Amino acid sequence: MALQIAHNRDARGLQGVIFTRDDRAGEGKLSSRLGLVTEAIEAPEGMLSKGGKADYVIVDEAQFLEPDQNQLARIVDALGLDVFAFGITTDFRTKLFPGSQRLIELADRLEQLQVEALCWCGARATHNALTVGGEMVVEGAQVVVGDVNRPAEEIGYEVLCRRHHRRRMTSAAAHVGALSPDVLPVNHA
């Protein structure tokens, strides 16, 4: 969604500044799970200290922002710019990220994206599970950079429904390879 907003506004001649933090594609990158990547400014602690003329601001991985940051609200109020902040609200322990909590407290508007993630069982996924070697981890540092597309023996994330998150049942633990054992017939005629 962040990449789409940037594309649409850029196509209308608007200039934007994109910030990110700890993106899976590496420092100074904003990436999507579909493989799209664009350049971004890696947001250091203290945040938005870089950038030039801008008509809008996009911040991805906003959950990693410092909780005492108020720069985004000041950009909206003092400069009249649109600010789009994207991120998740809770960590793999189901605890609010401090940065997300502060953004929720300051936001003019909150929107849950309509891209529906599904648990391995087919139910709506609402929780993030941190996995190491395919096993769910429920303790440790709040920020652990991983990815959903890594081999099971590495650090990764899997989205789960609340029921399976509470049971610590990942797809690997359930020995599930696909949502359905039945393959749809395809006629290549």
Side-chain angles (χ1 to χ4, degrees):
M1 184 61 74
L3 291 168
Q4 184 68 50
I5 287 172
H7 171 78
N8 290 348
R9 289 173 177 256
D10 290 349
R12 298 295 170 249
L14 299 174
Q15 293 180 7
V17 177
I18 301 173
F19 292 94
T20 190
R21 187 146 181 205
D22 297 327
D23 189 275
R24 75 181 70 77
E27 187 171 317
K29 304 283 184 195
L30 169 63
S31 67
S32 76
R33 296 208 189 284
L34 299 175
L36 301 173
V37 180
T38 192
E39 296 298 316
I41 298 169
E42 188 74 17
E45 289 190 30
M47 184 112 155
L48 310 176
S49 58
K50 297 180 182 177
K53 178 195 176 301
D55 298 305
Y56 65 93
V57 173
I58 292 176
V59 180
D60 194 38
E61 306 292 356
Q63 70 272 13
F64 298 139
L65 298 178
E66 299 301 315
D68 61 350
Q69 57 78 30
N70 295 306
Q71 295 96 332
L72 298 178
R74 285 198 305 263
I75 289 170
V76 172
D77 296 341
L79 301 177
L81 299 181
D82 290 331
V83 173
F84 304 92
F86 297 88
I88 57 177
T89 53
T90 59
D91 65 17
F92 64 94
R93 303 168 302 179
T94 68
K95 305 288 184 193
L96 275 174
F97 280 100
S100 295
Q101 179 181 341
R102 189 65 182 140
L103 286 171
I104 290 168
E105 293 166 351
L106 292 173
D108 291 327
R109 187 174 74 213
L110 298 174
E111 292 183 28
Q112 183 175 0
L113 295 182
Q114 297 302 311
V115 178
E116 187 175 9
L118 298 177
C119 179
W120 60 264
C121 69
R124 184 171 177 265
T126 55
H127 291 66
N128 295 298
L130 173 64
T131 60
V132 177
E135 297 293 320
M136 189 169 151
V137 177
V138 294
E139 295 184 14
Q142 186 174 45
V143 177
V144 180
V145 178
D147 198 2
V148 296
N149 297 319
R150 290 191 179 168
E153 61 272 3
E154 294 183 24
I155 295 172
Y157 285 92
E158 181 176 350
V159 291
L160 301 172
C161 63
R162 183 182 58 242
R163 180 173 58 129
H164 287 124
H165 191 276
R166 289 182 62 222
R167 292 179 181 172
R168 299 182 186 174
M169 189 177 288
T170 64
S171 60
H175 305 294
V176 175
L179 290 178
S180 171
D182 299 322
V183 177
L184 294 175
V186 178
N187 185 357
H188 291 289

